[in-house]
Amino acid sequence: MHDTFLSAAVWIFSLLGIATLVQVFSKKLKLPFAVLLLGVGILIPYLVPFLSLPVDSNAISFSPEIVFYVFLPSLIFESAYHLNFRHFRGLFLEVASLATFGLLVSISLIGFVLHWGFDFPLGATLLFGALISATDPVAVLAIFKEMRAPKKLSTMVDGESLLNDGTALIIFQFLLLNWMSFGMGTFQMSEVFNLLSSIVIGILVGIGFGKFFTFAIDKATNKGVQMTLSLILAHVTFIVAEGFFHASGILATMTAGIIMGSFGKRKLSTESQKSFVDIWSFLEFISNSLIFLLLGIKLGQVSLFEHWELVLFSVVLCLFIARPISVFGTFLVTNLFRKKADKSPFSYQFITVWGGIRGALAAVSLLLIPADFPYLNEFYAMATGVILVTFFLNATTVSYWLKKFKLVQLSATENIQRIEGKLMTNEKIHLFLDNLSEKKYIHDEVFMSIKDSYGVRKESLEGELNRALKNLLGNDKREIEKVLTHFALGIELKSYTRLYRLKEISESRYNILIESILRQIDRLEKNILPEEMAFNIHYAPNIPTGKLKGFWAPFKKIIREKKILERYQHYRSRRIASWQVILDFQALEVEHKIFADATIIQKILKRYTGWHNLAQKKLAHLQNQYSDNL
């Protein structure tokens, strides 16, 4: 037993060392990290005889239990935590349709065509369709991030994968138990109810654990405790859903991750948020490294030549028939329910098709099939062929298609935001250097030399910014107004967050104010300016009027006092935030002379001055009418 543990430990740390080297070479070779990991994993079994390591070659294994209960929860939670919920919510129709309707179309096409073409039982071919239809776009998303692909496209591909993994695994487990029933006519409709209940219960478990642990993490003051609780949340949610409720652990962990990332994250300090990013990036690296190396090792042991005709047919069917039909067909339906500006263009649809990489979940699903399954060897060969082609063809060429469709070019607005970000970084470095100089941590000559270099860089960036702004002002004033409006909304957002950190507004009022800002940003990204927005939502709470009588009078009084306080917090926050915008924009007008004659900055100042005066008026009215309650 000692030798077994030693062998396993040596292999784990050896694989992590290999993954570190692969990461370095992937940057130099400009190849996707996951693709290179898979390729190296395939070579490892052939290199083991030449390595003088104190390990048994049988230690190379790909246990589905380890992946299910250790790796998958980490990967699912990390993706869900970082998922842009605002974009995900806006694309839920497309994402949910791809993960349900599109998935069922893909499974059905693969199942029926293989059934008719190779005379496999229908239940068996549908089972293969379920295991091979789960997407795993880790390599693609890394390319999206590196090439700055549109957020809408990244969220669509990432969101489909998250939901797709859960629904595909549920359908696979369902078919694994009932595949023979499809051919024998003994299928029970009660199994469909079990399938649906697995989905619903999994989501409910995720909601329950997500809210409970979000509350616990918020109350914990130690960052180490917060990190530990998040780790427990990801894995316990998965284990409870799968082991105790026989529900979807993936959907449960995904739901918990979205709740923590979209709502719980707001409650954390800036330092804690950075720590969360660091710890989950670390766990993602370990999980991805081991999964794709072990997946490569497993695929390298499969013989493709014995069933080469079946493998070739499966690759063509899955990647060039079933995937395009299911995705394009889904978008054909969802676009009917979207306005012209919100429809998904062909370029997005094509990249979604091409980015449907198959990976670890398909391989793990294969290992869940019993050894006595009559078509196990054929399934291994077909799945291996599909996985390898998607990794070495699709993942390596997705950057070409992004460039082909011109989806990696920065818009004028994004370019200005990029320059502004560099200027802010440059300013922070200036302040840091001044601090070092005051504390005598750096020689005066070195200090002046470095400061002069950053001063030159600042002048260069300011010139670049002014040129970009002049181009916008000369060509499209609407774009510059969108940039400045977005900047103003960011100032408001920071003001509300600062007030919440200082406990000057309640959590519920803070969430409402943040929601109002995010809604305006959403509309701004759809090219709708504030004056063109139809505000149908009243964010300030109404105060109940009328005399308080009867048994419920004390309770009504408590409710009214709460509403008065919330209304006061709302308008006080609006007054403070709008005043901060006014101050910053007045400074912006002075610092950047390009705005001196610009009507746009005056327009925004006038807008926020009106909002500031309105908030001031509302506060004065509250103080006059409800002075006893404030």
Side-chain angles (χ1 to χ4, degrees):
M1 181 174 293
H2 174 75
D3 292 339
T4 303
F5 282 118
L6 175 62
S7 180
V10 169
W11 269 115
I12 289 173
F13 289 107
S14 297
L15 292 177
L16 289 176
I18 292 171
T20 304
L21 293 175
V22 170
Q23 172 68 18
V24 174
F25 282 106
S26 69
K27 296 293 184 182
K28 293 185 177 181
L29 298 175
K30 295 183 178 180
L31 287 173
F33 176 51
V35 173
L36 209 55
L37 278 176
L38 192 71
V40 171
I42 292 172
L43 296 176
I44 287 177
Y46 302 99
L47 298 176
V48 168
F50 303 99
L51 300 175
S52 56
L53 293 173
V55 297
D56 180 6
S57 61
N58 294 324
I60 306 177
S61 61
F62 192 71
S63 168
E65 288 79 13
I66 291 177
V67 173
F68 256 65
Y69 295 106
V70 179
F71 296 150
L72 271 185
S74 294
L75 290 177
I76 296 295
F77 186 86
E78 193 274 339
S79 296
Y81 179 81
H82 289 107
L83 185 71
N84 190 316
F85 183 72
R86 184 161 48 87
H87 288 104
F88 178 75
R89 182 178 57 188
L91 294 169
F92 186 76
L93 173 64
E94 287 81 1
V95 170
S97 299
L98 285 170
T100 52
F101 174 75
L103 178 68
L104 291 174
V105 169
S106 176
I107 292 173
S108 301
L109 277 172
I110 295 170
F112 281 99
V113 172
L114 282 176
H115 170 63
W116 290 329
F118 290 88
D119 201 30
F120 288 138
L122 180 59
T125 54
L126 289 173
L127 180 67
F128 177 76
L131 74 89
I132 206 62
S133 293
T135 57
D136 185 10
V138 173
V140 172
L141 290 173
I143 296 172
F144 282 2
K145 184 176 181 180
E146 181 179 344
M147 300 188 71
R148 296 179 63 86
K151 292 180 181 179
K152 179 179 178 180
L153 178 60
S154 299
T155 304
M156 193 180 296
V157 173
D158 193 13
E160 183 212 358
S161 174
L162 274 175
L163 289 181
N164 186 302
D165 284 352
T167 51
L169 185 60
I170 291 171
I171 294 173
F172 170 79
Q173 292 172 322
F174 166 76
L175 289 172
L176 185 60
L177 295 175
N178 300 281
W179 72 273
M180 294 184 65
S181 304
F182 283 86
M184 300 174 61
T186 59
F187 177 73
Q188 299 290 328
M189 288 303 296
S190 60
E191 297 297 333
V192 176
F193 174 77
N194 294 334
L195 175 68
L196 296 175
S197 65
S198 175
I199 296 174
V200 174
I201 294 174
I203 293 174
L204 291 176
V205 170
I207 292 173
F209 276 85
K211 288 190 172 183
F212 174 78
F213 275 87
T214 295
F215 174 79
I217 290 171
D218 177 41
K219 296 302 178 183
T221 56
N222 183 279
K223 285 196 293 185
V225 174
Q226 291 177 332
M227 301 303 109
T228 304
L229 287 173
S230 70
L231 189 64
I232 294 172
L233 168 62
H235 292 81
V236 169
T237 304
F238 191 93
I239 293 170
V240 170
E242 286 282 344
F244 292 91
F245 292 100
H246 305 290
S248 171
I250 290 180
L251 289 179
T253 300
M254 178 201 73
T255 305
I258 290 175
I259 290 174
M260 183 64 217
S262 301
F263 306 105
K265 183 162 56 177
R266 296 176 184 174
K267 303 177 182 181
L268 300 175
S269 64
T270 304
E271 293 76 14
S272 294
Q273 290 185 32
K274 291 179 180 177
S275 297
F276 263 71
V277 172
D278 291 340
I279 189 67
W280 283 104
S281 296
F282 169 68
L283 293 173
E284 181 207 19
F285 175 80
I286 291 179
S287 298
N288 271 329
S289 299
L290 294 179
I291 280 181
F292 287 110
L293 282 174
L294 292 172
L295 175 59
I297 291 170
K298 186 64 181 180
L299 298 185
Q301 298 170 348
V302 175
S303 175
L304 300 177
F305 301 104
E306 185 177 350
H307 305 284
W308 70 270
E309 292 180 345
L310 188 57
V311 171
L312 181 62
F313 186 85
S314 300
V315 169
V316 174
L317 172 61
C318 294
L319 304 184
F320 303 107
I321 298 177
R323 178 67 178 171
I325 290 176
S326 64
V327 173
F328 286 128
T330 300
F331 281 113
L332 185 65
V333 175
T334 57
N335 276 347
L336 295 175
F337 298 92
R338 292 295 193 186
K339 297 178 182 178
K340 185 177 180 180
D342 297 331
K343 293 181 185 295
S344 299
F346 174 78
S347 57
Y348 282 30
Q349 298 179 37
F350 181 87
I351 296 298
T352 302
V353 171
W354 202 250
I357 310 298
R358 273 51 163 202
L361 194 64
V364 174
S365 298
L366 277 173
L367 292 174
L368 294 177
I369 301 176
D372 59 353
F373 183 77
Y375 309 102
L376 187 60
N377 291 332
E378 289 86 346
F379 276 23
Y380 263 109
M382 291 189 294
T384 300
V386 173
I387 292 171
L388 292 178
V389 170
T390 58
F391 261 81
F392 292 105
L393 174 64
N394 296 48
T396 56
T397 57
V398 70
S399 58
Y400 165 80
W401 291 111
L402 286 171
K403 294 176 183 177
K404 185 76 173 177
F405 287 114
K406 298 180 179 179
L407 295 175
V408 294
Q409 296 179 349
L410 292 177
S411 66
T413 303
E414 290 173 329
N415 187 46
I416 288 175
Q417 291 173 346
R418 176 186 65 83
I419 300 171
E420 286 176 341
K422 287 186 176 181
L423 272 171
M424 290 174 63
T425 303
N426 196 83
E427 185 63 28
K428 288 182 179 179
I429 293 173
H430 261 280
L431 293 174
F432 179 69
L433 286 172
D434 289 339
N435 187 40
L436 289 179
S437 178
E438 288 176 5
K439 294 181 178 179
K440 305 299 181 182
Y441 288 168
I442 186 172
H443 291 294
D444 291 341
E445 293 181 2
V446 176
F447 167 72
M448 292 304 300
S449 175
I450 298 175
K451 189 170 184 177
D452 288 344
S453 66
Y454 277 99
V456 172
R457 186 169 183 267
K458 180 183 179 182
E459 291 178 1
S460 174
L461 288 170
E462 286 179 341
E464 188 179 354
L465 178 61
N466 286 337
R467 287 192 295 272
L469 289 171
K470 283 181 179 178
N471 290 335
L472 278 178
L473 284 169
N475 299 324
D476 193 346
K477 290 188 176 183
R478 187 179 184 86
E479 282 295 317
I480 193 64
E481 185 173 352
K482 285 168 59 180
V483 171
L484 292 174
T485 302
H486 199 288
F487 179 51
L489 291 172
I491 296 171
E492 280 194 79
L493 194 66
K494 290 180 180 178
S495 297
Y496 297 143
T497 301
R498 184 170 61 252
L499 289 171
Y500 174 68
R501 298 273 185 244
L502 295 172
K503 307 295 184 183
E504 295 193 23
I505 54 175
S506 65
E507 181 183 340
S508 60
R509 186 51 37 190
Y510 170 68
N511 289 333
I512 291 172
L513 289 165
I514 293 299
E515 178 61 29
S516 71
I517 297 297
L518 295 180
R519 189 180 295 273
Q520 291 179 73
I521 291 175
D522 279 339
R523 294 182 180 180
L524 196 63
E525 291 176 351
K526 295 176 182 177
N527 200 28
I528 303 174
L529 292 170
E531 286 76 9
E532 302 164 353
M533 298 178 186
F535 291 98
N536 299 319
I537 300 175
H538 299 283
Y539 293 102
N542 293 319
I543 300 173
T545 57
K547 295 183 178 180
L548 304 177
K549 297 180 180 180
F551 174 78
W552 297 105
F555 299 98
K556 291 179 180 178
K557 183 180 179 181
I558 293 173
I559 294 173
R560 188 167 72 172
E561 289 176 350
K562 182 181 179 183
K563 294 293 183 182
I564 292 170
L565 181 59
E566 287 184 357
R567 195 173 179 88
Y568 178 81
Q569 289 181 355
H570 180 88
Y571 284 114
R572 180 175 179 270
S573 302
R574 294 282 291 140
R575 183 190 65 182
I576 292 172
S578 57
W579 183 246
Q580 187 63 54
V581 173
I582 292 170
L583 291 176
D584 286 359
F585 266 67
Q586 288 174 343
L588 182 67
E589 190 176 20
V590 173
E591 291 173 5
H592 294 281
K593 298 301 182 182
I594 190 172
F595 292 120
D597 300 324
T599 57
I600 297 173
I601 197 166
Q602 291 297 328
K603 181 181 178 181
I604 295 175
L605 279 169
K606 182 179 179 181
R607 180 191 304 156
Y608 275 91
T609 300
W611 288 346
H612 177 266
N613 292 338
L614 177 62
Q616 187 84 345
K617 182 179 178 181
K618 294 285 187 179
L619 281 173
H621 174 74
L622 282 171
Q623 289 171 338
N624 291 332
Q625 191 169 0
Y626 303 104
S627 58
D628 294 337
N629 301 106
L630 296 173

